[in-house]
Amino acid sequence: MKYVLVTGGVVSGLGKGVTASSIGLLLKACGLRVTSIKIDPYLNTDAGTMSPFEHGEVFVLDDGGELLFSSGPGNFCLIHVSLVPVLNVVGEQKTKPTQHSVRGLRCLGLTPHLLACRSTTVSSSLQALDENVKMKLSQFCHVPKDNIITLYDVSNIWHIPLLLRDQKAHEAIFQVLNLQSIARQPDLEEWTSRAEIADLLHDPVRIAMVGKYTGLSDAYLSVLKALLHASVGLGKKLSVDWVAATDLEDATAKENPDAYKAAWKLLKGADGVLVPGGFGDRGVQGKILAAKYARENRIPYLGICLGMQTAVVEFARSVLGLHDANSTEFEPNTKNPCVIFMPEGSKTHMGGTMRVGSRRTYFQVMDCKSAKLYGNKSYIDERHRHRYEVNPEMVGRLEKGGLCFTGKDITGRRMEIVELRNHPYYVGVQFHPEFKSRPGKPSALFSGLIAASCGELESLVQFDQTNNNISNKRIHNNNNNNGDSMIYQNGNGNGNGNGKPVVLELDPAIYSLCNGVH
């Protein structure tokens, strides 16, 4: 087992995560098997109890675990990301921040093998490190000059693996890890095409993100990336409107009418609405109002985890007339508990009590949007992170009112997917599909949201009601000059609507590099 550790100094600020994922992609393109582990610099064994404002997004793996296997010489490569600021007045690149950052790292007993230097643009032109700057960094940081690479500003982060390749970062890593004999030159042709396509998109799609932590976009980083993957895959230029859920509430209308009007203007101007997961009662009423607006005005809606739960609560209140319907997370004594605490969970211990990791969802019907988007499979595996779920005792009443729980767990007691049949796209899921979205393989439900928001859902997945199969459909870019580079999604036409799986045939040229990056 070989390890590559990417660290970032206090002054680096930008690029540690992007650098790590880009290096992973580059190494995988060289024929190596790569996996990733995120290690955060705080001593807390249960990050789920912290606010995303403190640490950003909590990312979930299939097994729900994080660890750092040990290593010996030749099995460990340390890459340090640091900032090389540029004085715009004279265009001088300053090395002191990196020198101090490396000094602090060496005080901890760690010496970097490579330096990844972040630099900005000068006079609107790309700026690599000057040779004399590299020599200075090499001398004072004790890193070979050839192992100092530049990560300057680019039009989109998908260009970063290409920068690393062009500066032969992979060869430097191979030398440190003694992998020269087994690794090949990186094949990034598909990735290059995708990065170029992302620069040329112009047909817009606007998604309103209604959340609790809109002041910190990193709190919803995977959701943002999943939206980006889906929009690029469909040839759309993504625009995200951040809507603070509390600003949609009546209390804000009285306290801050300008913020209230601005929030509702953003929501009403969006092509689609997404309500992501979260915990706590702050902003919940605003999320319920967003779900109601999307339902009543037939605006495409995707609710994730809490976003699904608020949609269920809103439906019970507005359609079933259960005006006190609520989640016991917010109102423990509600007479109509639509969402309840998990039976096996502990209400007295907050840490480590969530249902985390990959769980299986079985489709209850095949004639529904979510099943079609997933390729008419009989079941799917997606990652979870929650303590509360839809009350199974309320499901019958909700379904009689028009909600359809199209996905459940193997027991049939846990509601995993909910849809409105007579709506262009109104889907809620208990799991987090954003965690498995990839640039070359967007999440099915995010693709559905983007397509529905552009009025192109039927073009994404055409369903033949006569013989019940998914017809082959090519997804075109709207730009005439690069439409041939987009992805394909093909069905094999043997679905029969009886719950048996239909395997999607994916073009290997498109899906060969689906990595856990970006």
Side-chain angles (χ1 to χ4, degrees):
M1 186 77 72
K2 306 285 185 177
Y3 298 90
V4 178
L5 176 63
V6 179
T7 64
V10 175
V11 296
S12 64
L14 295 172
K16 181 172 63 175
V18 173
T19 303
S21 55
S22 297
I23 288 172
L25 171 66
L26 182 62
L27 296 179
K28 193 163 187 178
C30 293
L32 301 179
R33 183 179 178 184
V34 180
T35 189
S36 61
I37 301 172
K38 180 182 179 184
I39 304 170
D40 289 303
Y42 47 73
L43 298 177
N44 191 299
T45 58
D46 185 25
T49 60
M50 300 174 68
S51 167
F53 281 125
E54 299 176 32
H55 61 73
E57 178 192 63
V58 175
F59 191 84
V60 177
L61 303 173
D62 275 352
D63 62 4
E66 296 179 351
L67 63 158
L68 178 64
F69 306 110
S70 56
S71 61
N75 295 321
F76 175 76
C77 177
L78 175 59
I79 302 172
H80 187 62
V81 182
S82 186
L83 179 65
V84 177
V86 178
L87 299 181
N88 288 331
V89 177
V90 293
E92 181 182 0
Q93 297 170 333
K94 306 299 291 185
T95 64
K96 280 295 183 184
T98 299
Q99 291 183 46
H100 285 293
S101 182
V102 171
R103 182 183 303 169
L105 196 65
R106 290 171 67 87
C107 288
L108 298 174
L110 295 172
T111 300
H113 298 98
L114 282 80
L115 287 181
C117 298
R118 284 283 292 114
S119 65
T120 57
T121 57
V122 177
S123 301
S124 300
S125 62
L126 299 180
Q127 182 80 1
L129 287 182
D130 295 334
E131 284 301 310
N132 64 322
V133 173
K134 280 191 175 184
M135 290 295 296
K136 192 173 183 179
L137 286 172
S138 177
Q139 179 181 358
F140 287 101
C141 297
H142 306 284
V143 175
K145 185 171 73 71
D146 291 341
N147 287 13
I148 299 176
I149 56 181
T150 310
L151 300 179
Y152 49 75
D153 289 351
V154 290
S155 55
N156 71 71
I157 64 171
W158 294 354
H159 286 284
I160 298 298
L162 309 180
L163 285 181
L164 293 169
R165 177 202 59 189
D166 294 343
Q167 297 175 75
K168 302 186 184 303
H170 54 292
E171 294 182 3
I173 296 172
F174 295 159
Q175 185 172 3
V176 173
L177 298 178
N178 298 318
L179 292 174
Q180 301 98 317
S181 60
I182 64 172
R184 63 171 187 257
Q185 288 301 306
D187 179 8
L188 290 172
E189 182 178 353
E190 172 212 341
W191 192 267
T192 302
S193 175
R194 184 178 296 117
E196 293 173 349
I197 286 171
D199 288 336
L200 298 173
L201 299 176
H202 59 80
D203 193 10
V205 57
R206 303 187 69 87
I207 301 297
M209 181 89 77
V210 183
K212 179 179 178 180
Y213 308 108
T214 54
L216 179 68
S217 61
D218 275 3
Y220 304 113
L221 187 60
S222 293
V223 177
L224 278 175
K225 297 305 180 184
L227 285 171
L228 178 63
H229 302 159
S231 59
V232 172
L234 292 168
K236 306 297 179 183
K237 186 175 180 62
L238 176 67
S239 178
V240 176
D241 291 328
W242 294 96
V243 181
T246 52
D247 288 349
L248 298 172
E249 299 174 352
D250 293 340
T252 303
K254 298 176 182 179
E255 299 169 4
N256 191 343
D258 290 340
Y260 178 81
K261 291 178 182 178
W264 276 101
K265 182 178 180 181
L266 287 176
L267 183 65
K268 292 180 178 180
D271 301 312
V273 177
L274 193 153
V275 177
F279 296 93
D281 59 357
R282 182 170 64 86
V284 166
Q285 183 59 31
K287 295 179 180 182
I288 290 175
L289 290 171
K292 181 177 182 179
Y293 171 79
R295 179 182 60 80
E296 292 182 340
N297 293 275
R298 300 178 61 79
I299 305 298
Y301 176 90
L302 177 59
I304 298 173
C305 198
L306 181 58
M308 168 187 171
Q309 296 169 9
T310 52
V312 171
V313 170
E314 188 281 320
F315 188 88
R317 290 180 180 180
S318 301
V319 179
L320 301 187
L322 307 176
H323 301 296
D324 66 338
N326 214 327
S327 166
T328 57
E329 180 181 5
F330 315 127
E331 179 48 68
N333 299 318
T334 178
K335 295 181 180 179
N336 290 287
C338 294
V339 179
I340 60 172
F341 196 80
M342 291 189 307
E344 71 272 32
S346 170
K347 295 185 179 179
T348 57
H349 295 84
M350 291 301 293
T353 60
M354 288 187 290
R355 184 171 179 244
V356 181
S358 182
R359 298 290 189 275
R360 183 155 291 179
T361 295
Y362 293 86
F363 287 107
Q364 306 301 299
V365 294
M366 304 308 292
D367 185 15
C368 65
K369 293 179 176 66
S370 56
K372 297 172 190 176
L373 286 167
Y374 276 105
N376 275 12
K377 297 177 181 178
S378 60
Y379 63 84
I380 55 172
D381 294 316
E382 292 281 10
R383 299 172 187 172
H384 293 65
R385 183 176 181 264
H386 67 103
R387 293 190 183 96
Y388 289 80
E389 57 193 33
V390 175
N391 184 357
E393 304 301 326
M394 293 283 290
V395 168
R397 298 175 69 182
L398 291 165
E399 289 193 318
K400 286 182 180 179
L403 275 185
C404 184
F405 291 94
T406 57
K408 301 180 182 180
D409 79 334
I410 193 170
T411 68
R413 298 278 295 172
R414 281 194 159 115
M415 305 302 112
E416 296 282 3
I417 307 176
V418 63
E419 298 184 37
L420 267 181
R421 291 249 184 208
N422 58 349
H423 193 284
Y425 191 82
Y426 195 90
V427 178
V429 291
Q430 185 60 70
F431 48 81
H432 290 262
E434 68 270 21
F435 290 146
K436 296 180 73 172
S437 178
R438 302 293 182 263
K441 189 178 181 182
S443 163
L445 297 178
F446 279 83
S447 293
L449 174 65
I450 295 296
S453 299
C454 300
E456 299 177 4
L457 184 60
E458 292 301 319
S459 297
L460 177 63
V461 179
Q462 281 192 339
F463 192 74
D464 185 345
Q465 297 292 345
T466 304
N467 55 26
N468 199 20
N469 74 11
I470 296 180
S471 59
N472 293 344
K473 189 67 183 176
R474 182 174 184 178
I475 306 171
H476 285 281
N477 186 339
N478 289 325
N479 298 319
N480 294 329
N481 60 341
N482 59 9
D484 291 338
S485 299
M486 298 312 293
I487 64 175
Y488 297 79
Q489 189 170 17
N490 299 318
N492 57 12
N494 62 358
N496 52 17
N498 61 4
K500 295 182 179 179
V502 177
V503 181
L504 268 178
E505 297 176 352
L506 304 179
D507 188 337
I510 299 300
Y511 287 90
S512 59
L513 295 177
C514 295
N515 300 279
V517 296
H518 302 294

